[in-house]
Each structure stands twice: as C-alpha cells, then as structure tokens.
Amino acid sequence: MQDILVNWTPQETRVAVVENGAVQELHIERSLERGLVGNIYLGRVARVLPGMQSAFIDIGLERAAFLHVADLHLNATGPRGEPLAGASPQPIEKLVFEGQTLTVQVIKDPIGTKGARLSSQVSIAGRMLVYLPQDNHIGISQKIGSHELREQLRQRMQALVGKPEEGGGGGFILRTNAEEATDPELADDITYLRKTWTTIRELSFTVPPGTLLHQDLSLAERVLRDLTNDDTQSIRIDSRQQYEHLLAFGKAFTPTAVSKLELYRGERPIFDLYNIDTEVQKALARRVDLKSGGYLIIDQTEALTTVDVNTGGFVGARNFDDTIFKTNLEAAGAIARQLRLRNLGGIIIVDFIDMSRDEHQAAVLAEFRKQLARDRTKITVSGFTQLGLVEMTRKRTRESLAHMLCEPCPVCEGRGQVKTARSVCYDILREILREARQFDPKEFRVIASPAVVEMLLDEESQHLAGLSDFIGKPISLSAENQMTPEQYDIVLL
C-alpha cells in the first residue's frame, strides 16, 4: 500500500509517494518555472508572413507566438496530421487573416528572444488517453505490445467512444499506461477529457483574444489524475485551500480518488513524517549506502547514468560468492528505488559486482526486473553484457531531481574536482614566463587564492625566486579571499 503526501506553498508544490515507510517517488513543481507547453489560448492573428508560411499570434504574452502552416488544423490533413493523398497544402495567406481569432495550443516554450510555437491542432492529455477533439481517429501508442492487443484495445475504445451522431465525437490516442486499463477506467478518462474540452469551447465564446483557456493540470491535480491507483491508501495535503480545491476537482473528474483525500492537521511539517527532506538530500548525493554495509556510486552525465555496486564493509555471508550475491540482490531493489526517486532517464548502465555462478546472475537479474516493474515509467532491460554490465533505458518524463534542484558548481564547473594548489602554482609560473617574453614591465604581481599564495611563499618559493632571477624582474604576491582555488590574475606593473 502507498501513501501520497502533498506539501503545498504558494511558490512550490512537493509530492512524495511513500510505500512501506520508504519514499519511492518525489515530484516538485515551482510556480515561477511552470512551462507553457500544453496551454490553450484564444489567440488573435497579429501578422501573416507568406514568405515564411507562418503567422504571428498574440496570445497575451510578452512576445507574439509563432504558428507555421504545417501546424494549422484548417489545412488538408488526415486523422494523424499527415497530408491527405492527392491534396496540395493550402498557403497560409488563404487560411488565416490579420485580426482573426484562433484557438491555439503551445507546443514549444519561448526560448531566448523567440516566442512560443503554436498549433491549432489541439490535444488534451488525460490519465490514459490523449483527446483529439478535432479528429475522429482512434490511435494506439506504438509502445503497446502486439498487433493483436492493439486491435483489441482499438475495438474496446470504439465501443466506449460511441458514434459521432450519438454525441461521441473526437478522436483518442491510447497512452502506454492504458495497456492494462479496464473499461470503467477508460470510460472515466473519456468523460473527463470531453468535459474539459466542452469547458474550453464554451469559454472561448465569452472571453477576449489573448485569454488563457486551459492550462495543463498543476502537480497537485495530477496527483489525482496520474499518481493515484488501487494501492493508494491515502492522499494527505497540508493546505486547507488546496484540499478544498482538490476535493472539488476530484468530484468532477476523478471521483474514485476523492475518498482517499485527507487534510493534514499535524503540528510537525508533513514531510517530517517520513524524514523526506533527509531522503531528498541523500538522493542528491553520489553515494548511496545499503543496509548490509555495501554501497552504490551513481554518476549522472549528459550521455548516460552509471551505477556501480560495491560490497563495502559487508562480510556477513559464509563465503565470498554468497557475500557478493546478497549485496547484488539488495542493490537491485535500491537501484530501482533510486531511479524513481532521482527520476533518472535515458541510458543507464549498472555494474553489479562480478558473479561467478550463472544462477546467481539469473536470480539478480530477475529480482532487478521485479523491482523495476513497480515503476510507472517505461523501462527496457537488456540483461547482462559480455562485460558483466546490465544495460537498460528509462523514458525521460521530466528533468531529473538533481537538474531541478541544483546547478553546476561555480568552482569546478560541474567536473567534481579542482586542480591542486601546486598545479595552479605551476600554471602561474608558466604564464609569467610567457608574459615576460612578450612584455617588459617593471614588476609582475600575482593575485591568487590564499592557498596558492601560501604555497608560492613556502614550498615553491625556490622555484619562484629562480624564475624571478631568470626573467630579471621582481615578482610580488597578493592573496584574494574571493578567488576560487583555480582562479588567478597576473598584473603587469
């Protein structure tokens, strides 16, 4: 069974999913950093650019947004947005005109000086479905299993959606997590999405251009839509205002989750119940200790994430093979949890401790797959390679915890290490020699961190004096507390 804790403040919402007293997932959303993707606006065409086959649309933001002809639903396209056979696309100047109002959706956030990119082909994401109100097509995610299963799901959806003349308009795409959904769950999602679109349509007739018609759900609302399931025991939230909001939202859109909502009235902060803030700090660390005495080393890079398993101080088993086997078994569960908690995505390489027995390898891999099966994010595991590594991928759904909460260190610039004071001293001596060959100052003054200056005055004083004699110029030193270990400046006087 799982409990969901929601810590809400005006600037930030944090959600923790707890199972058996241990934090399994952490979701964070900051009000100032919410993106625009998915938002639906009533826009006004500010300018049509035939040469670029685009239009600038005023949607009430600081900069006008950008709509390309390929993203216009009015153009001749099929149910999936592909050009119809034999149909030539209409130029944008024949489809829109200045001053026209359009219902548009943001498909790319504004970046730098560029405005947001728009589409008039609206789609609304639900828990298991994506609703396409302007189409009548039923699509299935390419990641859903066999052809037979896909056809079976399509037939079930067609029965649930109904015929357009019976009020069953609109198309749907089944998302990956709809693979094992029941008919009542799919029906709930269909009702929710159609109700949302009806609200958007009605609002568009009563508000001026530049108005936000629909915003993708907040994190607290997505708890009810995406995170709650049959195993959820309670959803506790520490804000009365948000509790009442979620209660109203749940009654309208996710009635099965309403009975699990609770207002937390405790004196202690809600995240202190399971030491969640401590878990967050641990999830930002490179090393993860295991109960047995072993540990994991997790390194996240641009290309992939590596996880290294070590026995550490664990010597409890009868022989070395059993020690390795038990450490790897414990690590399998810990790694699966850390992937969820840190939200690590992309390519992941796990280096379990080498096992000499094939049955141990098979048992560890089976346990690893079993633990990963609890993840709501799509995962593929390739098994052990010839080098004894486990290769896997985990779908990227949002930024990792480290990228959301941290930034590269200004001292080491994300390398995780800095040059030694002696290395910086030798850099300085080489730079002085280079400058002396080009310029003829009266004196060289070195400004550096206190540790570097101290080394130049002490252990490296002989080399500094030798360089001064060689170039025939005095070299003075000045310590600057604000400088990082690698920073220095050479002033010509």
Side-chain angles (χ1 to χ4, degrees):
M1 300 297 285
Q2 70 176 20
D3 293 290
I4 299 178
L5 308 181
V6 183
N7 169 228
W8 186 88
T9 58
Q11 69 273 10
E12 183 182 60
T13 302
R14 300 188 300 166
V15 173
V17 179
V18 180
E19 289 181 20
N20 303 318
V23 186
Q24 302 296 326
E25 296 179 42
L26 186 72
H27 303 263
I28 299 174
E29 180 178 84
R30 292 171 173 171
S31 53
L32 292 178
E33 295 175 0
R34 280 191 73 176
L36 303 177
V37 173
N39 287 2
I40 300 173
Y41 294 86
L42 185 66
R44 183 182 61 81
V45 180
R47 191 177 170 197
V48 180
L49 305 171
M52 296 175 61
Q53 282 299 290
S54 304
F56 285 119
I57 313 292
D58 179 10
I59 57 173
L61 301 178
E62 184 180 345
R63 293 188 297 275
F66 178 83
L67 175 67
H68 189 266
V69 68
D71 298 314
L72 259 173
H73 177 72
L74 302 173
N75 221 331
T77 58
R80 300 185 187 182
E82 74 277 7
L84 287 174
S88 57
Q90 293 282 325
I92 195 165
E93 60 268 26
K94 293 189 177 180
L95 297 171
V96 298
F97 55 87
E98 289 186 17
Q100 180 182 359
T101 57
L102 288 174
T103 300
V104 289
Q105 185 170 35
V106 177
I107 57 175
K108 190 174 182 181
D109 278 321
I111 300 173
T113 58
K114 295 181 180 178
R117 181 161 180 175
L118 305 175
S119 173
S120 67
Q121 303 178 62
V122 173
S123 65
I124 307 170
R127 184 173 184 171
M128 287 162 284
L129 305 170
V130 176
Y131 184 43
L132 309 171
Q134 297 142 318
D135 287 322
N136 288 308
H137 171 74
I138 293 180
I140 312 287
S141 168
Q142 295 291 333
K143 295 177 181 175
I144 290 181
S146 64
H147 176 72
E148 292 78 10
L149 177 60
R150 293 159 62 82
E151 283 306 310
Q152 185 184 12
L153 285 169
R154 196 188 309 276
Q155 290 171 13
R156 285 171 56 197
M157 276 298 296
Q158 285 170 342
L160 290 168
V161 167
K163 297 178 181 178
E165 58 268 22
E166 298 170 356
F172 291 89
I173 297 174
L174 276 81
R175 301 171 70 177
T176 310
N177 56 353
E179 187 171 354
E180 298 177 0
T182 62
D183 282 357
E185 287 175 329
L186 292 173
D188 281 350
D189 224 23
I190 291 170
T191 303
Y192 158 69
L193 291 167
R194 282 179 171 161
K195 192 180 291 187
T196 301
W197 175 242
T198 300
T199 304
I200 293 168
R201 287 281 296 162
E202 290 173 352
L203 186 61
S204 69
F205 294 121
T206 60
V207 296
T211 301
L212 174 64
L213 300 176
H214 171 76
Q215 187 173 32
D216 194 21
L217 299 185
S218 67
L219 175 56
E221 292 165 335
R222 293 201 305 274
V223 166
L224 300 187
R225 186 187 75 183
D226 298 337
L227 301 183
T228 307
N229 54 40
D230 293 338
D231 293 330
T232 305
Q233 189 170 270
S234 67
I235 305 165
R236 286 182 269 182
I237 184 165
D238 60 1
S239 162
R240 177 175 290 278
Q241 175 191 352
Q242 286 299 305
Y243 168 74
E244 292 172 353
H245 170 72
L246 288 185
L247 209 57
F249 173 82
K251 287 176 181 175
F253 297 113
T254 56
T256 54
V258 171
S259 61
K260 300 174 182 179
L261 270 174
E262 298 176 16
L263 175 62
Y264 176 72
R265 293 186 172 91
E267 292 184 4
R268 296 168 61 199
I270 190 168
F271 268 27
D272 284 4
L273 295 180
Y274 296 98
N275 295 319
I276 290 169
D277 285 321
T278 304
E279 289 294 326
V280 172
Q281 291 304 315
K282 289 180 181 177
L284 296 174
R286 184 169 175 251
R287 174 171 168 151
V288 179
D289 290 318
L290 304 176
K291 289 180 181 178
S292 65
Y295 62 92
L296 312 175
I297 297 293
I298 301 175
D299 286 314
Q300 186 180 352
T301 68
E302 192 72 26
L304 50 80
T305 298
T306 61
V307 183
D308 186 32
V309 184
N310 298 279
T311 54
F314 180 43
V315 292
R318 287 170 297 176
N319 58 59
F320 192 55
D321 281 352
D322 284 348
T323 300
I324 289 172
F325 179 51
K326 289 186 177 179
T327 303
N328 282 340
L329 276 180
E330 185 187 1
I335 292 167
R337 175 172 171 261
Q338 289 296 324
L339 296 183
R340 294 192 297 270
L341 193 56
R342 299 170 185 241
N343 195 37
L344 297 173
I347 300 170
I348 299 162
I349 305 293
V350 181
D351 185 9
F352 286 106
I353 307 167
D354 290 339
M355 293 170 280
S356 57
R357 293 163 62 177
D358 290 343
E359 61 267 28
H360 282 180
Q361 267 199 2
V364 168
L365 190 59
E367 176 66 15
F368 192 38
R369 285 193 163 123
K370 176 185 169 185
Q371 295 291 337
L372 291 172
R374 301 165 60 190
D375 202 318
R376 69 182 81 246
T377 303
K378 186 170 177 62
I379 287 177
T380 56
V381 182
S382 301
F384 282 95
T385 67
Q386 289 183 335
L387 295 176
L389 307 173
V390 174
E391 295 179 354
M392 60 174 289
T393 60
R394 185 173 185 269
K395 184 179 177 182
R396 295 185 192 273
T397 53
R398 60 188 194 281
E399 281 191 311
S400 70
L401 187 67
H403 283 161
M404 177 172 282
L405 299 182
C406 307
E407 62 183 9
C409 168
V411 176
C412 71
E413 296 178 343
R415 298 195 314 271
Q417 53 192 13
V418 294
K419 286 183 178 180
T420 63
R422 195 180 306 278
S423 297
V424 178
C425 288
Y426 293 169
D427 285 345
I428 290 171
L429 296 180
R430 281 192 294 271
E431 185 65 26
I432 290 173
L433 184 59
R434 188 179 297 113
E435 297 283 345
R437 287 169 176 164
Q438 296 181 45
F439 305 103
D440 186 28
K442 291 182 179 179
E443 178 186 338
F444 290 91
R445 175 166 295 171
V446 175
I447 305 171
S449 67
V452 171
V453 169
E454 185 179 346
M455 180 159 281
L456 285 170
L457 288 172
D458 187 9
E459 297 177 32
E460 297 296 333
S461 58
Q462 187 176 351
H463 293 139
L464 185 68
L467 177 63
S468 179
D469 291 341
F470 180 75
I471 62 176
K473 306 286 181 183
I475 302 173
S476 60
L477 304 174
S478 175
E480 176 55 66
N481 290 320
Q482 302 300 318
M483 281 190 163
T484 67
E486 292 187 359
Q487 283 183 319
Y488 64 85
D489 198 10
I490 298 173
V491 181
L492 309 182
L493 298 175

